[in-house]
Amino acid sequence: MTPGARLQTAIELLAEIGEGHGAADDVVGGFFRRHRFVGAKDRAAISEHIYSILRHRASIDWWIRRVNGNQQPDARQRLFATLIMIEGWEPETVAKACDGDRFRPNPLGILEQQVVKGLKGRSLIHPEMPRPVRLNYPEWLDPHWEALFGDKVDAEMAVMTETAPLDLRVNRLKGNRLDARSALSNEGVEAMPTPLSPTGLRVYKRIPLATLDVFKSGRIEVQDEGSQIAALLALAKPGMRVVDFCAGAGGKTLALAAGMQNKGHLVACDISAPRLERAVVRLRRAGVSNVERRPLTSERDKWVKRHAESFDRVFVDAPCTGTGTWRRNPDAKWRLRPLDLEELSVLQGSILDSAARLVKPGGRLIYATCSMLPAENGGQIQNFLASHPAFALLPIAQVWKDAIGTPCPVETDTLQLTPARHGTDGFFVAVMERRAPEPVAVVEGEAEPETTEAAVPDEAAETPVVDAA
């Protein structure tokens, strides 16, 4: 592709993303799947154009308005501004690439010429920019970041505009980290051990992951270090009965199954049957054989009531705003609205309340999000504990010691990981335990009440299978 053809492709994809046709990864990935003739260098250049804009959109728009008379920026203007201020193109080079020839953008209009010429030599950051513009996040979130980070907002949010590395989880069902790292090296990929997760490897460059034998054989999976830690802190052990309540496509299900060494019963639940179906390929590749897939109609599905207090671990990776993943999904920040946070907070509370019914006495409820917003994290735990006196919050330092064995990176009772402090996605984890009931005192001379073992529904006693198809 010519430079101009790359620009035209980026403009069209940016317009699709801006019109709400899908998340950036889906739109860009879908285009590349439909156009397999596009080479690796072209794909990299097109992606760089798009993601540079998505990471710095607020700053870019501020500059465009400053030089074009305060008109609303469009995909073309954003791209041209990015080429000048971030990628270092000269105005003449931009104009040459936009000659209107086949597959190339139409020539620059008057306003676009103003943008290109007016931004030459400009730095992306200007001292007059408000903090949300300078750090590229929606203005309505500023009080939330202030409440969480205080005077560290600048340092924390600046990192969120960077590109995240690729984190891999070593599948302990098929080997250890040393062997997986060696296998990657043999295929030309340099990977470093993650500093917090004992099952993680980190790669700092683009790699053709799906073509690697070490991936195709199920020895590694893509999973952020923060997500790996969340699964480790569940302390799911061999022989336990475990529920992954919001399993999605199965990333944490795989990690939980590895911790259980394929022994015991692991139920992967989700309200989306297609998402659970997509997990089948991953489960097979990883060699997982103790998972039962269970579609639910909602978080209040009757299955939950039928299996009340029968699981050792209930893992809730709750749907959330995803603010901790902005390095990987920068377009998500611009789609987020205050109403989304309100609705998700209500849903999270309902999910947590329902999932708690599954935890048996002495069992644990693990709540996790890939968010950094207090309303979705500490606020949810505070509300839950206030209305569920049977549960107690376990200090995360002790859980960390038992599960990982290294010093815990936080001093609070819950875990909040951030990209700036820990190099992971923004991840929150709280671990709660259902207290065992107090023993009933028997008065001398009185007969002890008869006890019968609770009946286990037939479907719960079935041998779990990965795929019944």
Side-chain angles (χ1 to χ4, degrees):
M1 297 176 74
T2 65
R6 293 172 177 174
L7 296 186
Q8 182 59 30
T9 301
I11 290 168
E12 293 172 2
L13 294 177
L14 282 166
E16 284 190 48
I17 294 166
E19 292 166 5
H21 292 294
D25 279 355
D26 294 335
V27 171
V28 175
F31 173 84
F32 290 147
R33 284 191 295 273
R34 295 191 304 273
H35 300 81
R36 297 187 181 276
F37 61 86
V38 178
K41 291 184 178 179
D42 295 322
R43 292 175 182 230
I46 292 166
S47 297
E48 181 181 359
H49 295 328
I50 292 171
Y51 282 92
S52 290
I53 293 170
L54 296 175
R55 294 183 191 286
H56 303 98
R57 201 184 82 177
S59 298
I60 292 167
D61 285 3
W62 187 91
W63 271 116
I64 292 173
R65 291 191 179 99
R66 192 177 178 93
V67 299
N68 78 354
N70 210 34
Q71 296 193 26
Q72 177 63 31
D74 59 17
R76 281 173 58 103
Q77 291 186 36
R78 284 171 174 157
L79 177 57
F80 300 150
T82 300
L83 295 175
I84 297 295
M85 290 198 297
I86 297 177
E87 298 189 31
W89 287 40
E90 293 294 328
E92 296 78 13
T93 309
V94 176
K96 184 178 179 180
C98 302
D99 60 5
D101 202 353
R102 190 183 183 193
F103 303 125
R104 297 198 283 269
N106 290 328
L108 275 60
I110 295 176
L111 286 178
E112 293 166 346
Q113 292 178 33
Q114 288 180 211
V115 168
V116 170
K117 293 177 181 178
L119 296 182
K120 177 177 169 55
R122 300 284 190 178
S123 171
L124 185 62
I125 304 302
H126 191 282
E128 294 180 13
M129 286 179 172
R131 184 166 68 185
V133 172
R134 175 167 44 84
L135 296 172
N136 288 281
Y137 58 82
E139 184 177 2
W140 66 270
L141 283 172
D142 202 43
H144 295 271
W145 298 140
E146 185 78 37
L148 179 62
F149 297 126
D151 61 0
K152 304 296 185 184
V153 174
D154 280 47
E156 291 285 348
M157 299 313 297
V159 175
M160 297 300 285
T161 63
E162 299 175 359
T163 303
L166 172 65
D167 283 357
L168 306 171
R169 180 184 58 80
V170 175
N171 180 8
R172 290 181 291 175
L173 295 176
K174 293 194 173 186
N176 58 43
R177 181 156 67 172
L178 182 62
D179 291 340
R181 186 182 181 191
S182 177
L184 283 165
S185 179
N186 291 338
E187 296 195 64
V189 177
E190 182 180 359
M192 301 298 294
T194 48
L196 297 176
S197 169
T199 62
L201 290 170
R202 181 162 291 166
V203 178
Y204 290 95
K205 67 175 184 178
R206 291 176 177 268
I207 59 173
L209 185 66
T211 68
L212 302 181
D213 289 337
V214 65
F215 176 78
K216 291 188 287 187
S217 64
R219 295 165 67 184
I220 57 172
E221 281 283 339
V222 176
Q223 188 174 23
D224 177 74
E225 185 182 21
S227 180
Q228 294 179 39
I229 289 168
L232 288 168
L233 294 179
L235 264 176
K237 298 179 180 179
M240 283 185 171
R241 287 172 52 79
V242 179
V243 175
D244 186 358
F245 198 69
C246 305
K252 294 184 186 63
T253 304
L254 291 167
L256 293 168
M260 298 170 71
Q261 299 174 25
N262 257 344
K263 300 172 183 176
H265 185 193
L266 174 54
V267 184
C269 300
D270 202 87
I271 60 171
S272 171
R275 278 201 295 264
L276 289 177
E277 284 299 318
R278 288 197 293 272
V280 171
V281 173
R282 301 177 73 186
L283 292 165
R284 286 175 174 164
R285 184 175 63 225
V288 172
S289 59
N290 68 330
V291 173
E292 170 194 349
R293 289 174 291 117
R294 172 64 56 177
L296 303 178
T297 56
S298 73
E299 72 273 14
R300 295 283 169 182
D301 193 283
K302 292 180 180 179
W303 180 87
V304 178
K305 184 178 180 180
R306 293 200 302 269
H307 294 80
E309 298 191 18
S310 61
F311 287 90
D312 300 282
R313 299 287 188 267
V314 177
F315 191 95
V316 177
D317 181 13
C320 67
T321 57
T323 52
T325 68
W326 282 355
R327 294 185 304 166
R328 304 179 192 281
N329 308 298
D331 57 309
K333 69 176 81 173
W334 309 120
R335 295 196 306 270
L336 192 61
R337 299 291 181 268
L339 182 60
D340 298 327
L341 177 58
E342 295 175 16
E343 292 177 343
L344 283 166
S345 295
V346 173
L347 177 60
Q348 290 156 1
S350 180
I351 289 173
L352 199 49
D353 177 71
S354 183
R357 295 180 291 167
L358 294 167
V359 183
K360 74 180 189 181
R364 294 182 180 183
L365 174 65
I366 300 92
Y367 176 80
T369 74
C370 55
S371 172
M372 299 190 299
L373 295 177
E376 299 183 276
N377 297 331
Q380 290 292 348
I381 300 306
Q382 184 178 1
N383 293 339
F384 175 82
L385 293 174
S387 58
H388 294 79
F391 283 84
L393 181 67
L394 299 180
I396 204 68
Q398 184 60 52
V399 178
W400 185 287
K401 180 180 178 182
D402 295 340
I404 300 175
T406 58
C408 184
V410 302
E411 297 179 355
T412 50
D413 283 342
T414 57
L415 180 70
Q416 178 67 75
L417 301 173
T418 77
R421 297 176 191 172
H422 309 104
T424 68
D425 283 352
F427 239 94
F428 176 86
V429 184
V431 180
M432 295 158 284
E433 186 171 87
R434 182 189 286 275
R435 298 185 180 96
E438 294 291 334
V440 178
V442 178
V443 179
E444 187 175 351
E446 291 185 1
E448 293 189 16
E450 286 190 12
T451 58
T452 58
E453 187 174 343
V456 178
D458 289 341
E459 62 176 324
E462 292 176 358
T463 302
V465 295
V466 171
D467 185 12

